[in-house]
């Protein structure tokens, strides 16, 4: 008898964060040696995100899954989890739910529901800011790029909690208008003494740009300020680096927790944990652009675009 799994992904399959998670998660689930029937739903909340839209998704799922019974639901990222805490009893009664990315959720809602287990994101913001200020000694301003999504609001809350640690060291500028980065006066005022902390946005496999939301694009190509982030998916799109949340480790932990539920463990017996944090990771080309020597980076840092460390030469020259 197959085990029926429903995966509800907050975003669209073209969003690199979603695409990468699915590519890593599905093989882990298949390794359980169970006969699996997997259904995947994409909520596309990067493009559409309001209460009316969520109500329409609820009505759609109510009709679509009326005759379907799932053995497990896997929730990926905040919007999906928020949706399920509200509607799961009506849509999927008595169905266990394993989630990841719940950094905006009221944890009391989860503790009061024995059918939920998973991972809560604790973003490594302080570690990334400490690193950025160490590498950029003359920094006076941190320009924060964020949005008003569930994840964006949560990250803002987490950042507000640690800002007192940097009082009198640096000034935080919350940038609502991305186009100011390309404004000549704003750029001239800030580019020598500021860095950028990129909190929200998404990338795709077919574009080099970073999309802050469905209407705003951040072009990093000609931006002469170092950009730091906690999201591994931004590497290769013009950001320097930071302490990164590892999507691969997250997928492995999510898959293993899901397999435990499929094999009969009750979600209430599986503790909710923090999302695994990866190592410091950097784009080598961007570090050289800003004259940051690799020797000043944290021990065991990893890189993309690293130049070859060995060379092949003809034997006759030896």
């Amino acid at each position: 008898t197959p085990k029926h799994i429903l995966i509800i992904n907050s975003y669209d399959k073209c969003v690199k964060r979603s695409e990468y998670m699915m590519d890593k998660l599905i093989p882990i689930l298949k390794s359980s040696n169970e006969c699996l029937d997997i259904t995947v739903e994409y909520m596309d909340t990067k493009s559409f995100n309001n209460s009316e839209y969520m109500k329409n998704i609820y009505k759609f799922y109510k009709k679509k899954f009326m005759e379907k019974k799932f053995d497990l639901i896997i929730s990926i990222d905040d919007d999906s989890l928020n949706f399920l805490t509200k509607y799961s009893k009506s849509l999927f009664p008595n169905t266990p739910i394993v989630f990841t990315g719940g950094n905006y959720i009221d944890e009391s809602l989860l503790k009061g529901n024995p059918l939920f287990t998973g991972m809560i994101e604790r973003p490594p913001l302080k570690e990334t800011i400490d690193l950025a200020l160490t590498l950029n000694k003359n920094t006076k301003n941190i320009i924060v790029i964020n949005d008003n999504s569930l994840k964006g609001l949560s990250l803002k809350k987490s950042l507000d909690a640690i800002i007192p640690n940097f009082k009198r060291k640096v000034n935080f500028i919350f940038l609502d208008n991305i186009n100011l980065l390309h404004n000549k006066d704003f750029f001239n005022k800030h580019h020598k003494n500021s860095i950028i902390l990129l909190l929200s946005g998404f990338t795709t496999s077919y574009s080099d740009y970073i999309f802050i939301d469905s209407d705003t694009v951040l072009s990093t190509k000609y931006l002469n300020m170092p950009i730091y982030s906690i999201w591994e998916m931004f590497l290769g799109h013009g950001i320097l680096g930071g302490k990164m949340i590892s999507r691969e480790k997250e997928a492995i932990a999510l898959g293993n927790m899901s397999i435990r539920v499929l094999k009969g463990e009750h979600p209430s017996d599986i503790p909710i944990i923090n999302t695994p944090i990866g190592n410091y990771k950097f784009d080598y080309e961007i570090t050289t652009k800003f004259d940051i020597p690799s020797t000043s980076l944290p021990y065991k840092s990893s890189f993309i675009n690293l130049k070859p460390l060995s060379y092949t030469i003809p034997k006759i020259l030896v």
Side-chain angles (χ1 to χ4, degrees):
T1 303
K3 301 274 187 175
H4 299 282
I5 301 174
L6 173 63
I7 301 175
I8 303 181
N9 195 313
S10 296
Y11 306 135
D12 179 77
K13 82 189 317 184
C14 293
V15 173
K16 194 184 280 187
R17 182 174 166 85
S18 296
E19 185 181 33
Y20 189 82
M21 174 60 91
M22 299 307 296
D23 287 346
K24 296 293 181 185
L25 177 62
I26 299 295
I28 295 167
L29 294 174
K30 288 181 178 179
S31 72
S32 67
N33 294 322
E34 300 278 357
C35 176
L36 302 179
D37 170 33
I38 300 175
T39 303
V40 183
E41 291 288 335
Y42 292 93
M43 295 176 72
D44 196 17
T45 59
K46 285 293 185 186
S47 301
F48 309 98
N49 199 335
N50 56 53
S51 58
E52 189 64 30
Y53 178 67
M54 293 301 176
K55 286 177 185 174
N56 287 332
I57 288 182
Y58 166 73
K59 291 174 186 175
F60 174 61
Y61 287 176
K62 190 81 173 171
K63 288 183 179 179
K64 183 173 183 178
F65 300 123
M66 189 182 295
E67 305 296 329
K68 188 94 171 179
K69 176 73 175 74
F70 292 100
D71 297 285
L72 173 67
I73 294 171
I74 298 175
S75 167
I76 298 176
D77 283 309
D78 299 70
D79 293 292
S80 169
L81 178 58
N82 197 52
F83 176 83
L84 287 168
T85 55
K86 192 171 184 180
Y87 295 116
S88 64
K89 287 181 181 177
S90 171
L91 290 173
F92 315 108
N94 303 315
T95 306
I97 295 168
V98 180
F99 67 86
T100 185
N103 56 359
Y104 188 70
I105 200 70
D106 182 351
E107 290 185 41
S108 63
L109 291 175
L110 300 175
K111 289 175 182 175
N113 194 326
L115 290 171
F116 282 77
T117 189
M119 293 176 286
I120 292 178
E121 282 179 352
R122 306 290 185 201
L125 290 167
K126 187 176 185 303
E127 297 94 323
T128 297
I129 294 171
D130 283 336
L131 168 78
L133 296 179
T134 300
L135 298 180
N136 302 270
K137 304 284 187 188
N138 299 321
T139 300
K140 293 180 180 177
N141 303 299
I142 296 179
I143 299 171
V144 182
I145 298 177
N146 202 7
D147 63 20
N148 291 318
S149 65
L150 276 178
K151 189 172 288 293
L153 292 170
S154 169
L155 289 167
K156 172 69 163 58
K157 188 177 177 182
S158 299
L159 183 58
D160 286 342
I162 64 168
I163 281 178
N165 293 308
F166 302 98
K167 196 175 181 181
R168 296 179 187 157
K169 291 182 185 177
V170 69
N171 179 44
F172 286 83
I173 300 171
F174 289 88
L175 197 66
D176 294 324
N177 182 5
I178 304 301
N179 292 323
L180 274 176
L181 290 173
H182 306 287
N183 178 286
K184 192 175 180 181
D185 293 334
F186 182 87
F187 186 80
N188 288 339
K189 181 180 178 182
H190 293 293
H191 88 279
K192 286 185 179 178
N193 59 8
S194 302
I195 60 173
I196 294 172
L197 178 62
L198 179 59
L199 294 186
S200 287
F202 63 97
T203 53
T204 64
S205 298
Y206 51 80
S207 174
D208 289 332
Y209 293 104
I210 295 173
F211 301 92
I212 304 305
D213 53 40
S214 55
D215 300 313
T216 312
V217 175
L218 175 65
S219 173
T220 60
K221 198 170 184 180
Y222 305 106
L223 199 57
N224 199 25
M225 277 186 273
I227 305 173
Y228 293 85
S229 185
I230 57 171
W231 305 112
E232 202 172 316
M233 62 187 171
F234 291 137
L235 280 173
H237 292 263
I239 76 157
L240 193 146
K243 181 84 167 176
M244 301 287 184
I245 289 178
S246 170
R247 204 58 166 163
E248 183 173 4
K249 289 182 179 179
E250 190 177 356
I252 292 169
L254 181 65
N256 288 335
M257 293 175 98
S258 300
I259 289 171
R260 289 173 66 182
V261 173
L262 287 173
K263 290 187 178 297
E265 281 193 63
H266 196 276
S268 60
D269 295 327
I270 304 173
I272 293 173
I273 61 171
N274 291 338
T275 301
I277 304 297
N279 207 346
Y280 290 95
K281 204 163 185 178
F282 301 92
D283 186 329
Y284 186 79
E285 288 183 356
I286 307 298
T287 61
T288 55
K289 174 183 174 181
F290 290 103
D291 298 320
I292 295 174
S294 56
T295 51
S296 64
L297 299 175
Y299 180 58
K300 287 189 176 179
S301 294
S302 55
F303 297 87
I304 66 166
N305 297 324
L306 187 64
K307 301 303 178 190
L309 299 178
S310 59
Y311 302 89
T312 303
I313 59 174
K315 282 183 181 180
I316 194 167
L317 289 182
V318 176

